[in-house]
Amino acid sequence: MESLRPLKIGITCYPSVGGSGILASALGEELARRGHEAHFISYERPFRLPWGAPGIFFHPVVINDYGLFKYPDYTLPLSVKMAEVSRDVGLDVLHVHYAVPHATAAVLARSMLPEGSAPRVVTTLHGTDTTLLGRDAGYGPAITHALERSDAVTTVSEFLKRETQAHLSVRRPIEVIHNFFEPRPAKRPREAVRAELGIGEREAMVLHASNLRPLKRIDVLLESAARIRPRESFKLVILAGGDFTPFMGDVERLGLSGRVIVREQISEIEDYLQAADIGLFTSDVESFCLSILEAMCFGCPSVATEVGGIPEVVESGVSGLLVPHADTDGLARAVEKLIADPALRRAMGERARARARSHFSAEAIVPRYVELYRRVCAGAGMR
Ligand code: GMT
């Protein structure tokens, strides 16, 4: 129960399709539901953020494309907007998702404001800022600097915490706060969605959702699907947060035409999640994999590669099946096992749903952020 003064939290994230933006939007919604104010500061309104909800505000960052610059700059206008919003509404905390360039902009915004009125800076790392950019000599030192200057740093998995400590030489404390997902009710009946996708009575619906970046290994996904027997036992539905056209050649080459169904830029994700039987995720690395959690919330167990933070989300053999990285045969056999045994699939799905509730629901996770905000506001951060 919240009894302390409501907080004013500035939130900056990448607003386009991606787990970090989804998480940040959901966090803002949950904070507002608990009586706090969530002020989103970004170049675009996050795509899953509801319109007109009390306690949620959006402050756009305007970027001018000056001919003077070869590359347009976002960090400076973002930091100016952060400082402006902090001053105008009296933000307690700037909670930035992704270090680049959000943490750098927040640290700069804080230094533009008078000592006593500047907000605290909380930085949440989601993945590529550590695993990719952290290793880049052109970014690493700036990321480390922003993390060292934040009032608190969190990662979405133990795996990402270890990676951050190893690759960015960060010596300060890092707190792990796992992701959460709070599903909205589906808008259409399960049968209607399956009919729309052309899933037959005797076919299992295997679901993959991602932004199709190279590390998602769509090649491994399609190769694995091509090895599933019997072929008529499933359809692979891909919810693509990007253009799928470059993969259509592989779909044909592997004889998967008609067996792979693609939907791009879907916003009614729950409609598809409730219709799915099995998730399939083949990434090279994943700090958490929010899509697996989204499926778990609908009692859908996943087959996934045993990489990064995924074993923190899925207990293999209990709430899903994990397979060594890039093992297309292993992935196919695991999917076959779940297709052939609906009772096993349902039991795993129910355990997945229970785990999602107990470990990764808003109720389990949001109070941890609120407690962290209060701790840094009281000056007892983690610096
Ligand atoms: O995975 C992506 O390509 C998108 C990226 C993002 O910006 O949202 O995802 C990262 O953050 C998600 C939310 O915390 C995690 O669930 C994903 O595992 C993480 N991606 C990687 O680590 C590759």
Side-chain angles (χ1 to χ4, degrees), residues 33-243:
R33 194 168 292 149
R34 287 163 172 77
H36 306 289
E37 282 184 17
H39 294 264
F40 283 84
I41 306 167
S42 186
Y43 60 87
E44 221 167 65
R45 196 181 167 87
F47 84 110
R48 281 207 198 161
L49 198 65
W51 290 86
I56 295 181
F57 306 87
F58 173 58
H59 308 270
V61 178
V62 179
I63 309 161
N64 290 316
D65 195 1
Y66 291 110
L68 172 69
F69 297 138
K70 187 167 173 198
Y71 306 103
D73 170 58
Y74 179 51
T75 314
L76 292 182
L78 173 62
S79 66
V80 167
K81 182 55 86 175
M82 284 171 161
E84 188 184 301
V85 175
S86 299
R87 202 180 307 108
D88 292 351
V89 308
L91 291 182
D92 295 293
V93 171
L94 274 168
H95 186 178
V96 294
H97 296 261
Y98 261 101
V100 182
H102 304 156
T104 305
V107 166
L108 182 58
R110 188 183 57 190
S111 65
M112 286 182 213
L113 295 162
E115 199 42 36
S117 66
R120 302 293 178 175
V121 174
V122 173
T123 300
T124 291
L125 299 176
H126 285 269
T128 17
D129 33 12
T130 296
T131 53
L132 190 68
L133 298 177
R135 296 167 200 240
D136 182 330
Y139 282 93
I143 299 176
T144 304
H145 173 82
L147 298 184
E148 297 291 0
R149 292 291 184 281
S150 297
D151 293 284
V153 175
T154 77
T155 57
V156 300
S157 61
E158 296 286 349
F159 160 78
L160 193 58
K161 174 178 172 173
R162 288 192 299 274
E163 288 285 297
T164 307
Q165 284 164 335
H167 298 297
L168 287 160
S169 316
V170 174
R171 303 271 164 263
R172 54 155 317 127
I174 294 177
E175 192 160 329
V176 176
I177 304 184
H178 284 121
N179 284 330
F180 70 91
F181 184 64
E182 215 45 48
R184 296 179 187 168
K187 295 209 170 111
R188 289 183 289 157
R190 175 181 160 96
E191 297 66 37
V193 179
R194 288 175 76 100
E196 174 225 303
L197 296 166
I199 313 281
E201 287 256 313
R202 308 178 81 83
E203 285 174 335
M205 175 172 156
V206 180
L207 181 85
H208 174 87
S210 79
N211 52 19
L212 313 180
R213 281 168 55 205
L215 62 80
K216 305 292 171 181
R217 296 302 300 269
I218 302 305
D219 56 336
V220 174
L221 176 78
L222 296 175
E223 289 278 351
S224 308
R227 287 164 194 258
I228 298 172
R229 296 287 180 277
R231 280 245 161 135
E232 316 71 60
S233 63
F234 76 101
K235 285 221 169 84
L236 172 63
V237 174
I238 300 179
L239 303 184
D243 178 15

